[in-house]
């Protein structure tokens, strides 16, 4: 039976904890959908088409406020407009940058 020192034990645990922490940060960054006012206002980063459709169905969204401005011809924007039309959701564009 191998004997592991306390130093190795703590080093492995630290690496494990750091890996979990990094994965959590990445998950929050890429899945950044949050409630601002329950049942009324939600915010997110740019959702994929699938994530947007799931959010519309789950939260019964009625409008989308895009703070990046109009960008016709770009995939993410065109998908957002198409999904908004398909689900009869009001889509507003405001350029903050």
């Amino acid at each position: 039976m191998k004997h592991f020192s306390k130093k190795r034990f703590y080093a492995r645990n630290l690496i494990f904890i750091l890996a979990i922490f990094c994965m959590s940060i990445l998950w929050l960054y890429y899945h950044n959908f949050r409630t601002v006012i329950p049942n009324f206002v939600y915010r997110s980063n740019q959702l994929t088409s699938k994530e947007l459709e799931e959010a519309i169905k789950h939260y019964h969204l009625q409008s989308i406020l895009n703070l990046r401005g109009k960008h016709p011809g770009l995939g993410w924007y065109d998908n957002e407009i198409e999904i908004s039309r398909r689900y009869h959701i009001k889509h507003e564009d405001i350029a903050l940058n």
Side-chain angles (χ1 to χ4, degrees):
M1 181 185 226
K2 271 189 168 178
H3 176 72
F4 291 102
S5 68
K6 284 185 180 183
K7 195 175 192 179
R8 269 191 174 169
F9 174 78
Y10 290 125
R12 285 184 181 185
N13 284 339
L14 179 62
I15 290 169
F16 177 74
I17 290 168
L18 286 173
I20 296 295
F21 176 76
C22 290
M23 288 170 42
S24 298
I25 295 299
L26 286 173
W27 186 86
L28 286 173
Y29 178 76
Y30 288 106
H31 297 90
N32 192 6
F33 190 92
R34 300 285 181 265
T35 301
V36 177
I37 301 172
N39 300 315
F40 190 66
V41 178
Y42 303 92
R43 55 145 326 269
S44 73
N45 60 350
Q46 184 65 50
L47 300 174
T48 65
S49 296
K50 181 181 177 186
E51 290 170 332
L52 179 57
E53 291 187 74
E54 288 172 358
I56 289 168
K57 292 173 186 175
H58 186 267
Y59 296 98
H60 309 286
L61 302 181
Q62 297 177 10
S63 61
I64 295 173
L65 177 60
N66 167 30
L67 301 177
R68 296 168 72 182
K70 291 183 180 183
H71 292 281
L74 293 181
W76 66 267
Y77 183 80
D78 293 342
N79 290 338
E80 197 170 274
I81 294 296
E82 191 274 322
I83 291 169
S84 298
R85 287 182 182 146
R86 186 177 338 135
Y87 287 93
H88 308 286
I89 292 175
K90 186 173 182 176
H91 188 279
E92 294 292 330
D93 297 299
I94 298 175
L96 293 181
N97 49 6

